[in-house]
Amino acid sequence: MLMRGICHLSLIPVRSNPGSRSEMVTQLLLGETYQVLKIEEDWYQILNEQDHYIGWISSNQFCLFNENSPEPNHTLKHYPYTELLVNGTVVFATPGSQIALKEGFYYFNGQQCELNPLPSSLNESIIDFAKQFLNTPYLWGGKGIMGIDCSGFSSIVFACYGIKIPRDAAEQALIGKSIAFVNEIQPADLVFFENKEGKITHVGIAIDQDHIIHASGAVRIDLLDSYGIFNNSTGKHTHTLKCIKRLL
């Protein structure tokens, strides 16, 4: 029988292999659901049902999903976090967290809950929202405001606007409409960068034809040109342009 879980904590680290010393490759955010694929001693191999990423979580951070609960269908956008109140207990929900919204009421894993403050019906653009992550430290495998990597950043920003994209940069580059030239860029286009072997290793979100917001050291804004990303602080190009994709 399929076993499903739900992330009941603000963040849960997902590791490449079973073991607390194994590399963290991504994170579960509050409310994200997952399927248990395999159990090895105190570790569960799981499939994230939102971005289809596979990894391992500790059994002591597992929470069974209540199948009688409405499925999570509402993505929280409030920055830097929303307080989720469940049975008098407060859990901090970072942007990208999932919650069920049904007939005007909020539910978390079968229990009616409250949000404080309530998420506003913001009409801000994807770029305005992305800028709220500025100075978030880079963290390989991270997906939240306490630490995030380049593809985690792009996937969470788009997820908060109902657009689900793959977790990794190379997979993100396979979707969307190809844009041939930098001077054809529109805000919120995804821009991908390659290493010396031609492999896609980095992604950012175009602000306009000349600027990009991306996670490199921290979430930052840099210059963008036909060669790649130019860092004003160092006076050097840091990333080599590979391709541009439009999802909107």
Side-chain angles (χ1 to χ4, degrees):
M1 179 181 293
L2 175 67
M3 184 187 299
R4 297 178 68 203
I6 186 169
C7 180
H8 62 300
L9 305 173
S10 299
L11 297 169
I12 291 179
V14 180
R15 303 191 180 277
S16 59
N17 292 291
S20 58
R21 294 186 178 182
S22 179
E23 175 189 23
M24 184 179 75
V25 291
T26 188
Q27 295 173 327
L28 290 170
L29 301 183
L30 183 74
E32 289 189 325
T33 56
Y34 53 89
Q35 300 174 16
V36 177
L37 304 179
K38 187 189 303 183
I39 299 176
E40 289 190 9
E41 296 183 352
D42 297 329
W43 291 86
Y44 291 178
Q45 187 185 47
I46 59 103
L47 168 70
N48 185 320
E49 293 182 328
Q50 282 66 50
D51 60 20
H52 306 292
Y53 212 80
I54 295 175
W56 294 83
I57 67 170
S58 173
S59 61
N60 63 16
Q61 293 181 320
F62 172 77
C63 179
L64 188 67
F65 178 68
N66 183 348
E67 296 293 346
N68 295 320
S69 173
E71 292 285 339
N73 59 4
H74 182 77
T75 304
L76 300 181
K77 300 183 179 69
H78 192 272
Y79 183 87
Y81 60 83
T82 298
E83 292 182 359
L84 179 68
L85 186 63
V86 185
N87 283 343
T89 300
V90 173
V91 183
F92 295 110
T94 61
S97 297
Q98 303 290 313
I99 196 169
L101 177 61
K102 183 178 180 181
E103 298 176 351
F105 294 96
Y106 294 103
Y107 295 88
F108 184 80
N109 208 25
Q111 297 180 321
Q112 191 169 330
C113 60
E114 299 177 6
L115 296 178
N116 182 31
L118 292 175
S120 58
S121 56
L122 298 175
N123 293 321
E124 63 185 353
S125 69
I126 287 177
I127 296 302
D128 289 336
F129 179 65
K131 287 179 179 178
Q132 296 184 47
F133 284 83
L134 283 170
N135 296 318
T136 296
Y138 181 89
L139 175 65
W140 176 264
K143 284 175 50 176
I145 59 168
M146 303 306 292
I148 201 162
D149 64 20
C150 65
S151 57
F153 174 56
S154 54
S155 64
I156 288 301
V157 169
F158 277 87
C160 286
Y161 285 83
I163 304 169
K164 294 184 179 180
I165 63 176
R167 174 64 174 83
D168 287 344
E171 294 178 350
Q172 292 177 10
L174 299 176
I175 63 176
K177 176 185 176 182
S178 295
I179 305 301
F181 303 104
V182 170
N183 61 10
E184 296 176 348
I185 279 178
Q186 295 179 6
D189 283 349
L190 288 180
V191 188
F192 298 90
F193 304 87
E194 63 183 359
N195 61 14
K196 293 180 179 179
E197 289 73 40
K199 180 181 178 181
I200 290 175
T201 57
H202 192 65
V203 60
I205 303 172
I207 296 175
D208 52 37
Q209 296 176 0
D210 302 311
H211 298 87
I212 189 168
I213 183 168
H214 65 128
S216 180
V219 176
R220 53 181 292 127
I221 295 174
D222 281 315
L223 295 176
L224 178 66
D225 58 28
S226 58
Y227 181 83
I229 296 176
F230 184 83
N231 186 318
N232 264 337
S233 301
T234 62
K236 297 178 181 179
H237 281 94
T238 57
H239 298 81
T240 303
L241 180 65
K242 175 69 173 182
C243 63
I244 305 163
K245 290 296 187 75
R246 182 165 298 157
L247 305 186
L248 305 180

